[in-house]
Amino acid sequence: MKQPIQGFSKLSKEEKIDWLTQTYFNDAKAAKETLKTYWHNDATLQKLHDEFIENTISNFFLPIGIAPNFLINEKLYSIPMAIEESSVVAAASKAAKFWLNRGGFKTEILGTEKIGQVHFMYHGDVEKLKKYFQIVMPKLMHSVSEITTNMEKRGGGVTGITLKDKTDKLANYYQLHCTFETLDAMGANFINSCLEGFAKTFKEEALHFSEFSEEEKHIQIVMSILSNYVPNCVVRATVSCPVEDLNEDKDISPQEFAEKFVRAVNIAKIEPYRAVTHNKGIMNGIDAVVLATGNDFRAIEAAAHAYAAKNGSYASLTHATIENNIFKFWIEIPLAMGTVGGLTKLHPMVKIALEMLENPNAKQLMEITAVAGLAQNFGAVRSLITSGIQKGHMKMHLLNILNQLGATEEEKKYFVNYFKDKTATHSNVVAEFEKLRSNS
Ligand code: MEV
């Protein structure tokens, strides 16, 4: 049986790899070599990556691709996408081109409010707590002035604190529900620092509030943390055109296409099993931009899915209508993104991604990202209601299968051509590959 290791974090990188490969790998030498192959040649850059997290042993590469020709609010963008799934970038590019000639994408920021909460327990008279809250409020604000001064100078800061009584759900449980404007920062550090400041002052000042009984004075702070649910930090992106302009596919009339499209979106509005996959497709586009621009994709995912369930049942994040012969398709999604702080100035690829987007501010990045999600969903639903998803998917996946099989460049060319007018499945690619190899 393997033994736990003590002091692992204190080992050098080389020592960590030695322990790891000798403990878990049949061929320790080969595993070590693979890990080292992915080290960066430039030692300074490698050190930068080593220091992003703890216990670094190597780097994990994802491709970064470009989806060009996105016309967003009359401006042309090439969108960077970091993602491993084949056909996502191709689908985005295709959707961008489709809408380029139909007015492009229009966007609107519906809000930028961030949220954080101090969760606490109070045993006593709620009216006294309310009075205490009113009295302590200026002190709460004052106690974080060192943290908020710079943000306030730029027009942001703490925008509100309310006391919330949650005792109907959990005995003695209350919150300080705080709202923030964090401008171009995602704001997690700013918000959490403010919350911890509020919590400390709120607890300490209670000890001196003369109207509290001894028990009431002892407010118990449970935790202070931002909420990744940001239903008022939302962007809308829209495409629309006359139905007759939806004339790309020869096998289906524009009218039939529009109606089938709206029906597919409406299914995702009422059927959670479909909605989850529908939204997963949206997140293919969103996450790829979020990752490429150094933002927190877990936060974005958590918020998006909570928002999708905001009416009590999980539903589509996109919407589609036909009114007065106009097809309209739009997304509304919360996106707490930043263009300063975090990885944005640190990771060279993030800097490149932001520069190719002409260094957007946070609102513009929200808009671009929402557009990538909408485009992705348009591409997926279009395929689903026409040719089906597998044709395009397997075409892209063909190269992955061929790479797994160790195909040469010449063989890859041969098979791309061979499967041009056939559906490639994993088994028939393998069968055809083996046939070719045994013949040669
Ligand atoms: C695959 O990654 C995403 C899709 O399943 C999305 C969808 O079904 O809408 C194609």
Side-chain angles (χ1 to χ4, degrees), residues 85 88 274 277-282 284 377 380-381 384 389 393:
E85 184 174 331
V88 168
R274 172 57 200 150
T277 316
H278 180 95
N279 289 346
K280 187 273 181 189
I282 293 171
N284 278 345
N377 190 225
V381 175
L384 286 167
I389 208 79
H393 234 77

Side-chain angles (χ1 to χ4, degrees), residues 40-53:
H40 205 290
N41 286 336
D42 178 333
T44 317
L45 264 183
Q46 185 51 55
K47 189 160 183 300
L48 180 77
H49 284 76
D50 286 350
E51 290 175 1
F52 285 149
I53 59 165

Side-chain angles (χ1 to χ4, degrees), residues 64-70 72 75-81 288-295 337-339 349-362 364-372:
I64 180 159
I66 296 302
N69 298 322
F70 269 98
I72 307 175
K75 199 172 154 186
L76 263 179
Y77 289 91
S78 288
I79 301 189
M81 304 179 89
V289 184
V290 170
L291 258 178
T293 56
N295 276 275
M337 298 182 79
T339 53
M349 292 310 293
V350 169
K351 279 200 263 181
I352 292 276
L354 288 172
E355 195 172 339
M356 79 174 77
L357 293 173
E358 297 179 48
N359 291 318
N361 60 29
Q364 289 162 332
L365 186 57
M366 283 168 74
E367 293 172 330
I368 294 163
T369 309
V371 163

Side-chain angles (χ1 to χ4, degrees), residues 122-183:
Y122 165 78
H123 299 255
D125 179 353
V126 64
E127 291 310 316
K128 283 200 243 169
L129 181 67
K130 284 182 189 163
K131 196 164 169 198
Y132 168 64
F133 172 67
Q134 289 307 326
I135 288 168
V136 80
M137 176 80 118
K139 287 188 181 158
L140 294 181
M141 289 299 212
H142 184 71
S143 68
V144 297
S145 59
E146 244 177 57
I147 310 165
T148 55
T149 307
N150 271 339
M151 191 65 95
E152 278 165 10
K153 267 190 212 146
R154 286 180 274 127
V158 183
T159 53
I161 310 180
T162 46
L163 173 69
K164 290 209 171 173
D165 182 342
K166 293 278 173 175
T167 51
D168 58 329
K169 299 241 165 55
L170 185 65
N172 308 311
Y173 168 43
Y174 297 84
Q175 300 167 348
L176 295 181
H177 184 90
C178 312
T179 52
F180 302 85
E181 171 53 61
T182 61
L183 305 169

Side-chain angles (χ1 to χ4, degrees), residues 98-119:
F98 182 90
W99 286 105
L100 180 65
N101 305 320
R102 292 167 178 81
F105 295 80
K106 301 279 183 294
T107 64
E108 195 184 339
I109 298 289
L110 305 183
T112 56
E113 180 189 86
K114 310 280 170 56
I115 292 166
Q117 297 168 320
V118 177
H119 305 267

